[in-house]
Amino acid sequence: MKAAHSGTAPVWMRAADAAGVLRVSRATLYAYVSRGYIRSQAMPGSSRERGYSRDDVERLRRRTEERRDPDKAAAGALHWGVPILESSITLIDGRHLYYRGQDAVGLARSRSLKEVASLIWTGRFDAALSTAPDGMDRADTANTADTANRAPAGERRLAARLPFVARAQSALAVASARDPLAFDVRPGRVAPCGWRILHLLARAVTRSRPEAPTIDQSLARAWGVSSRGVDLLRSALILCADHELNVSSFTARSVASAGSNPYAVVIAGLAALEGTRHGGASARVESMLASERRARDLRSALAARLRRGERIDGFGHPLYPSGDPRAAMLIEGLRAMYAKSAELAFVLSFAEAATSAIREEPNIDFALAALGSVLGLPSGSPLALFAIGRAVGWIGHAIEQYATGQLIRPRAKYVGVVPGGIIP
């Protein structure tokens, strides 16, 4: 079994990480290299350290698992493991997050949300996306309804009482029904539609027509965030833009594969994101921070929480053994911008106590809740930020899936009662 050499440049892992994935010693790893199973090369800037092809390591791991237990390997294929769809959007290498080969943390520091959306949707930073306040292309304005202003009064009153996700889904459903081009899923048409959708989501948060040039500025104005906090909102949106085939992106991609329009794709993504094991986890972190705010000794309070069988939410991530780089950047930004904030001091103390207790670093859910806490955002704002940002990825995955023309249809392994006359 020689290592397959594809035209795609491999991502290089350190020896300790590669051996850990394979559950072998370094000596065995080196033996695999000598036999040609795994490619290896000197790491840039190091005369001694070598890197090992992640693709080859993963391929060898999968084959080893299949040989040991074929049924178990098949059952695990949809659970934190084997990639089942090809995508050119996002790469996670265990330490970094990349959008189309660009480091997401670097993009969050230097690019606008519009530029990152353009990159994810088209592969370049300067796609022709609308800059109009309502997010609509001039050519489409006459044909596409302004949901906020044209909906009947009864609809607007009902929407005002709904939580963010339901309010956003309602607005998207109405916009979809009134958009005559909703089912035009050619790549050149989906991107402008995606930009309209992002503005509709922002409007569902602000409950009004955006009055600022950018989505992050509109959110800041609606939430009363000062100018120094706008960059943090922008960074949060960009860092949430995509994360490979997480449950909401896989859901969105599956809906796109059925031929549904981009509005339906995002409605489905929102339904998955709201779950407490996905984006909705930020609400659990918000509640946890509020409940422990008056604790005199955070370490003791968290220990008591664990004794009661309660989780410490917002820490650890299976894809980032050394810590979530998205969370690290947002917390670093809070330190830089709000160094004297008493709320930041509490958040950092909580993070230190939690990390000491469970040996896990903060993840994006904790960072978003921390951002909301320090900036004084309304309850539920972390989920809204996550949703607007992640919608960029949902649209990107939809564009990729539309281009394939394929229906996503996994098979199930039947484990129920065997009908009479059928030999299992």
Side-chain angles (χ1 to χ4, degrees), residues 225-248:
V225 174
S226 65
S227 57
R228 63 177 175 168
V230 175
D231 275 347
L232 288 172
L233 295 181
R234 177 185 55 78
S235 294
L237 292 170
I238 290 172
L239 292 170
C240 289
D242 195 54
H243 207 238
E244 201 205 67
L245 286 177
N246 52 81
V247 63
S248 62

Side-chain angles (χ1 to χ4, degrees), residues 211-392:
E211 298 177 355
T214 65
I215 288 175
D216 41 286
Q217 289 172 342
S218 294
L219 294 175
R221 184 169 299 181
W223 286 334
V225 174
S226 65
S227 57
R228 63 177 175 168
V230 175
D231 275 347
L232 288 172
L233 295 181
R234 177 185 55 78
S235 294
L237 292 170
I238 290 172
L239 292 170
C240 289
D242 195 54
H243 207 238
E244 201 205 67
L245 286 177
N246 52 81
V247 63
S248 62
S249 295
F250 182 73
T251 298
R253 191 152 186 154
S254 296
V255 171
S257 81
S260 298
N261 67 48
Y263 298 95
V265 166
V266 175
I267 288 171
L270 286 166
L273 184 74
E274 190 179 23
T276 56
R277 296 176 66 183
H278 191 14
S282 61
R284 295 171 62 90
V285 178
E286 284 184 286
S287 176
M288 179 180 66
L289 290 174
S291 69
E292 304 296 348
R293 191 174 305 279
R294 293 183 175 84
R296 294 182 178 180
D297 183 344
L298 281 172
R299 290 178 185 268
S300 297
L302 292 180
R305 187 181 188 91
L306 292 172
R307 282 195 298 271
R308 293 192 299 267
E310 299 175 12
R311 289 172 50 87
I312 298 179
D313 296 289
F315 290 80
H317 197 294
L319 298 181
Y320 300 111
S322 301
D324 189 335
R326 302 167 299 174
M329 184 197 170
L330 288 179
I331 292 173
E332 176 190 331
L334 288 171
R335 287 180 184 273
M337 295 288 187
Y338 295 89
K340 298 181 180 180
S341 164
E343 190 63 26
L344 175 64
F346 163 71
V347 165
L348 294 177
S349 295
F350 187 100
E352 182 181 359
T355 297
S356 176
I358 60 176
R359 298 293 188 269
E360 298 279 6
E361 297 292 332
N363 62 29
I364 188 65
D365 300 311
F366 182 85
L368 290 173
L371 181 69
S373 181
V374 175
L375 269 60
L377 306 184
S379 176
S381 301
L383 177 59
L385 282 169
F386 204 152
I388 296 172
R390 186 54 53 87
V392 174

